Amino acid sequence: MKPPRFDYERPTSLDEAVAVLVANEGAKVLAGGQSLIPMMNFRLASPPVLVDISRIPDMEQIAVADGQLSIGGLVTHQAVAASSEVVRVLPVVAEAAALIGHLAIRNRGTVGGSLAHSDPAAEWPLLCRLVDSRIRVHGPQGPGIVPGDQLNVGFLETCLGEHDILTGVDFTLPPPDSCWAFVEFTRRHGDFALAMVGVNLGINSDAITDPRVVLGALDSTPIRAHEVEEALVGQPPTDETFDAAAALAAEVCNPVDDVHATAGYRRHLATVLTARALRAARDRERMR
Amino acid sequence: MTLPISVTVNGTVYQSEVTPRLLLVDFLRENLRLVGTNAGCEHGVCGTCTVLLDGNSVRSCLMFTVQADRTEIITVEGLADGDELHPMQRAFTANHALQCGFCTPGMMISAIDVVGRYPDVDEAELREHLSGNICRCTGYHNIIVAVQEAAVELKGGQ
């Protein structure tokens, strides 16, 4: 359980990093390493070259400006979870980040790494569909933008080119009176989730407006549950409304049987967690 | 390929040449003979390799030594001040919070980071935070009592 041999480069600029990726077939980006290094220790991954981007400047900022929350690709999950700025303007993101693994993992793992790794049970890909977002990328053609809901396309697969580096994400802040919730189900705290649900909606004169419901760990990528959202629009935020809408979540997702749970159990979790998340979002609004 | 690194461990600066694939846990154990830090699962889930790096608890099995260049690391060997045990060590001893001791270095390092960040952590939250450090001997109860006791003393010293 030791990693295989590799060459190691630690560039100090994005263009230098891209040049190393281009020059070395199979080279991989190393940031926090909390997904890549376990894979290498298992010898599931054997990149011949690692490009450590941790000393490239200007990727560690959290900033709020012009109705946007910007998070640099090298920001750690723990920095997000503990950021008073994030808690103030987009608390669903801080709450989800705090659920990633354990403290020691969060102290090294990065936002960019989680998004680029694209695990089906990762929180960050779900957040990028729950909230309007743009992924900042730097590649051989220089800087670019990918819509946040287009980044993660499959199991451990993004739409990025093999020489692209994910440098950050920008979230459009929803209205400040948005009701939100993020719930996940694990058998043990810190495990990969068996199911996750993120919810963001408005409640106006006892009617739901602009609902977003995103399911995670229930398919190869997070799923925007449009049918659930359609069953919520304009309805009163009652338990009856929520239960009826949540029942549709089981149909929308596409889980598989594996050693951790059956597909049927995961569909059940989809319904339970969607209802729970909707209630939590509504009750958070009622506390205001 | 080997690369030069400079890393401070328990207050001592070490200059070395290492191969990129040398994990930090193995550098600490094999190169520096600091065998208090243990290698368990080698994929980040058991917690026995946990050390403090620039004040943050990290899994030393999920870092290459080259990534620790220009950092300051504290291992379990660095907790005591001469003959005076760290409050966490004293609390673990007083509360019989270890049996075989294999999880103990990582457990104490993790606990130090948790109570340092969250001095008012309640028992349920503490159990959640420490659920990334697996103990096969104690059933965790005495560990929790010890950490809560040390937390009070560490908070008083802040």
Side-chain angles (χ1 to χ4, degrees), chain B residues 55-107:
Chain B
N56 298 319
S57 56
V58 301
R59 304 284 198 237
S60 62
C61 75
L62 294 189
M63 281 189 70
F64 301 116
T65 309
V66 289
Q67 294 175 282
D69 179 44
R70 303 192 305 195
T71 66
E72 292 192 13
I73 295 175
I74 309 272
T75 70
V76 64
E77 289 91 345
L79 292 181
D81 182 5
D83 280 343
E84 193 171 317
L85 292 179
H86 187 281
M88 193 64 71
Q89 292 172 305
R90 274 191 276 108
F92 268 58
T93 309
N95 290 283
H96 196 47
L98 67 155
Q99 293 180 27
C100 81
F102 193 76
C103 76
T104 307
M107 189 71 76

Side-chain angles (χ1 to χ4, degrees), chain A:
Chain A
M1 307 230 351
K2 302 299 180 187
R5 198 172 300 148
F6 57 91
D7 281 348
Y8 173 87
E9 301 291 336
R10 189 161 49 206
T12 52
S13 77
L14 284 168
D15 286 331
E16 199 188 328
V18 170
V20 177
L21 290 169
V22 168
N24 293 280
E25 166 112 23
K28 292 286 285 176
V29 171
L30 174 68
Q34 302 301 280
S35 295
L36 180 59
I37 299 181
M39 290 176 71
M40 293 178 68
N41 288 353
F42 278 121
R43 304 227 168 176
L44 293 174
S46 304
V49 176
L50 288 191
V51 184
D52 184 339
I53 60 170
S54 63
R55 293 210 185 147
I56 296 176
D58 300 324
M59 300 227 300
E60 285 186 303
Q61 281 86 2
I62 297 173
V64 179
D66 304 325
Q68 287 202 122
L69 168 67
S70 297
I71 304 179
L74 288 179
V75 175
T76 64
H77 308 308
Q78 183 58 25
V80 173
S83 162
S84 53
E85 282 285 79
V86 178
V87 169
R88 182 175 64 86
V89 304
L90 199 49
V92 66
V93 164
E95 178 125 328
L99 291 171
I100 298 174
H102 293 97
L103 184 57
I105 300 292
R106 293 195 295 277
N107 281 334
R108 292 290 298 173
T110 64
V111 175
S114 171
L115 285 168
H117 184 62
S118 200
D119 190 287
E123 288 78 355
W124 284 102
L126 187 157
L127 292 170
C128 288
R129 288 176 197 226
L130 182 63
V131 182
D132 281 340
S133 60
R134 285 149 305 286
I135 310 292
R136 285 179 268 128
V137 177
H138 194 95
Q141 320 304 332
I145 303 276
V146 171
D149 60 357
Q150 292 179 21
L151 174 71
N152 306 96
V153 299
F155 176 71
L156 303 187
E157 198 185 333
T158 67
C159 68
L160 301 182
E162 59 182 331
H163 306 132
D164 288 339
I165 299 173
L166 198 155
T167 60
V169 54
D170 301 324
F171 292 99
T172 301
L173 300 183
D177 57 356
S178 289
C179 311
W180 59 271
F182 186 95
V183 299
E184 59 179 59
F185 183 81
T186 55
R187 289 178 66 198
R188 297 165 303 186
H189 181 82
D191 277 1
F192 283 102
L194 296 183
M196 302 188 289
V197 178
V199 159
N200 202 60
L201 46 84
I203 297 177
N204 220 331
S205 309
D206 209 45
I208 296 169
T209 62
D210 199 24
R212 295 262 184 118
V213 178
V214 183
L215 311 179
L218 291 164
D219 202 335
S220 60
T221 69
I223 307 162
R224 185 80 193 267
H226 293 290
E227 292 85 336
V228 175
E229 295 171 2
E230 280 152 28
L232 292 169
V233 170
Q235 299 299 318
T238 61
D239 287 357
E240 291 71 30
T241 301
F242 293 156
D243 287 339
L248 301 171
E251 313 308 314
V252 166
C253 60
N254 191 27
V256 295
D257 290 337
D258 69 13
V259 64
H260 301 294
T262 62
Y265 184 64
R266 288 185 147 110
R267 287 187 197 279
H268 173 72
L269 287 177
T271 297
V272 170
L273 293 192
T274 298
R276 223 179 257 182
L278 290 167
R279 278 194 254 287
R282 172 197 63 201
D283 295 345
R284 180 170 281 116
E285 195 270 341
R286 286 181 176 166
M287 276 161 51
R288 275 197 254 254

